[in-house]
């Protein structure tokens, strides 16, 4: 919690119950929490935010990005997380001890979230498990787009996602489906995978790190002066991508990120 101690957060913790836990990659567990209807108003969140998690018997408070859309909490009472294995006590508990039926307390926080601005276009750039809050934002964007009464969508969306291996690219199928639904550009980068393993995989895959040149290509349908950009990943990744975006003409005031690795 030290990394986020100065970040805004709600005052109230809510009770939640683990209703599913599964492997979604060799190093990441997918966790679904259920919150009863009477507690949901206190658990409402904006796409991109995270939760503090208090686990019985674990002294350290966990901090995990929410990876589903706000509408899913409202409609179904669910908060979803994707937690990478580590020795950090809360993450270690999720990977080694957590079972369906366990109860944990959660509190929503964070200043990194989808913002309603006058900008038309949306750029999402993720490194590793930094996809979590951006996947929440992508789903929220889909819900907003589908909910338009006139069916017209002149707001372009582009997602660029980098991971070391193909298996560590989380939510691939869901991302492809959403991008198809809303006509979004979607490019994956796999930086430590043998090229032959990608030969039969459909989609826009690159076998190198995101570069200014590749980013320019991925964002070719986006007008920089009317775009909001969200970046999530390790600090050096964020710094590098921010520099590329500035070089490509994106507005510093509309590049959003939160460093808490």
């Amino acid at each position: 919690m030290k990394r986020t101690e100065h970040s805004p957060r709600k005052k109230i913790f809510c009770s939640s119950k683990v209703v599913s836990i599964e492997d979604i990659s060799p190093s990441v567990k997918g966790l679904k929490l259920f919150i009863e209807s009477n507690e949901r108003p206190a658990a409402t969140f904006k796409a991109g935010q995270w939760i503090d998690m208090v686990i019985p018997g674990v002294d350290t408070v966990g901090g995990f990005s929410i990876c589903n859309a706000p509408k899913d909490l409202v409609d179904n009472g669910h908060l979803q997380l994707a937690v990478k294995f580590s020795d950090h006590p809360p993450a270690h508990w999720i990977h080694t001890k957590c079972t369906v039926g366990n109860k944990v307390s959660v509190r929503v926080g964070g200043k990194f979230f989808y913002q309603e601005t006058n900008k038309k276009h949306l750029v999402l750039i993720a490194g590793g498990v930094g996809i979590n809050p951006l996947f929440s934002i992508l789903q929220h964007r889909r819900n907003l787009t589908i909910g338009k009464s006139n069916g017209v969508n002149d707001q372009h969306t582009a997602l660029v996602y980098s991971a070391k291996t193909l298996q560590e690219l989380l939510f691939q199928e869901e991302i492809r489906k959403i991008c198809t639904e809303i006509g979004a550009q979607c490019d994956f980068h796999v930086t430590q995978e043998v090229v032959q393993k990608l030969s039969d995989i459909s989609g826009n895959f690159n076998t190198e790190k995101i570069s200014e040149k590749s980013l320019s290509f991925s964002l070719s349908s986006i007008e920089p002066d009317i775009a909001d950009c969200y970046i999530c990943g390790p600090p050096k990744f964020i710094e590098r991508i921010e520099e590329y975006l500035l070089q490509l003409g994106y507005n510093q005031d509309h590049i959003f990120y939160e460093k808490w690795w």
Side-chain angles (χ1 to χ4, degrees):
M1 193 163 148
K2 274 189 174 181
R3 295 173 180 175
T4 61
E5 61 184 348
H6 299 299
S7 296
R9 49 179 33 91
K10 293 190 175 184
K11 295 180 180 179
I12 300 173
F13 276 91
C14 302
S15 298
S16 70
K17 182 171 69 174
V18 177
V19 292
S20 74
I21 183 166
E22 61 180 341
D23 294 324
I24 58 174
S25 89
S27 67
V28 177
K29 290 279 190 184
L31 191 69
K32 183 184 290 185
L33 305 175
F34 176 75
I35 295 178
E36 296 287 352
S37 57
N38 63 313
E39 296 211 51
R40 286 176 205 170
T44 55
F45 67 95
K46 297 178 181 179
Q49 288 190 298
W50 41 259
I51 57 167
D52 290 326
M53 179 187 288
V54 174
I55 303 164
V58 178
D59 293 336
T60 307
V61 177
F64 305 110
S65 292
I66 302 166
C67 61
N68 59 325
K71 188 175 185 294
D72 195 19
L73 174 69
V74 174
D75 292 349
N76 305 307
H78 292 154
L79 288 178
Q80 294 187 39
L81 314 173
V83 180
K84 191 174 180 68
F85 178 83
S86 79
D87 291 330
H88 188 246
H92 195 265
W93 178 85
I94 288 171
H95 275 262
T96 62
K97 296 182 179 180
C98 180
T99 59
V100 170
N102 285 152
K103 293 184 178 180
V104 296
S105 298
V106 298
R107 175 176 63 182
V108 173
K111 57 185 178 181
F112 176 81
F113 52 82
Y114 181 84
Q115 301 184 35
E116 298 288 348
T117 71
N118 61 355
K119 301 296 184 183
K120 269 190 180 184
H121 306 318
L122 178 65
V123 174
L124 305 172
I125 306 175
V129 289
I131 190 61
N132 286 337
L134 303 191
F135 187 46
S136 174
I137 292 173
L138 180 67
Q139 292 169 84
H140 184 58
R141 178 77 156 192
R142 185 264 313 274
N143 292 340
L144 293 176
T145 300
I146 291 176
K148 282 188 172 183
S149 58
N150 59 12
V152 176
N153 180 25
D154 61 351
Q155 297 178 322
H156 296 163
T157 300
L159 182 144
V160 183
Y161 178 17
S162 176
K164 291 180 180 179
T165 69
L166 187 63
Q167 286 186 310
E168 294 299 334
L169 284 170
L170 309 180
F171 316 120
Q172 287 180 56
E173 294 304 319
E174 298 97 323
I175 288 171
R176 285 200 199 98
K177 181 179 178 181
I178 292 171
C179 288
T180 298
E181 285 178 340
I182 65 175
Q185 175 71 20
C186 175
D187 290 340
F188 296 108
H189 288 251
V190 180
T191 60
Q192 295 182 18
E193 186 79 271
V194 178
V195 174
Q196 286 82 349
K197 288 185 179 180
L198 300 179
S199 59
D200 296 326
I201 305 296
S202 62
N204 295 324
F205 279 87
N206 301 276
T207 54
E208 58 183 18
K209 289 184 177 180
I210 299 169
S211 65
E212 184 179 334
K213 182 179 179 180
S214 70
L215 199 56
S216 176
F217 180 80
S218 296
L219 306 183
S220 58
S221 66
I222 306 291
E223 299 168 76
D225 58 336
I226 53 172
D228 283 333
C229 305
Y230 296 83
I231 314 169
C232 192
K236 289 185 178 179
F237 175 87
I238 291 173
E239 291 165 6
R240 180 166 57 89
I241 298 302
E242 180 183 28
E243 182 61 32
Y244 293 160
L245 289 172
L246 293 173
Q247 291 293 329
L248 293 171
Y250 288 83
N251 188 325
Q252 176 78 75
D253 293 336
H254 289 272
I255 299 175
F256 306 106
Y257 52 82
E258 187 172 35
K259 293 181 182 177
W260 60 291
W261 249 266

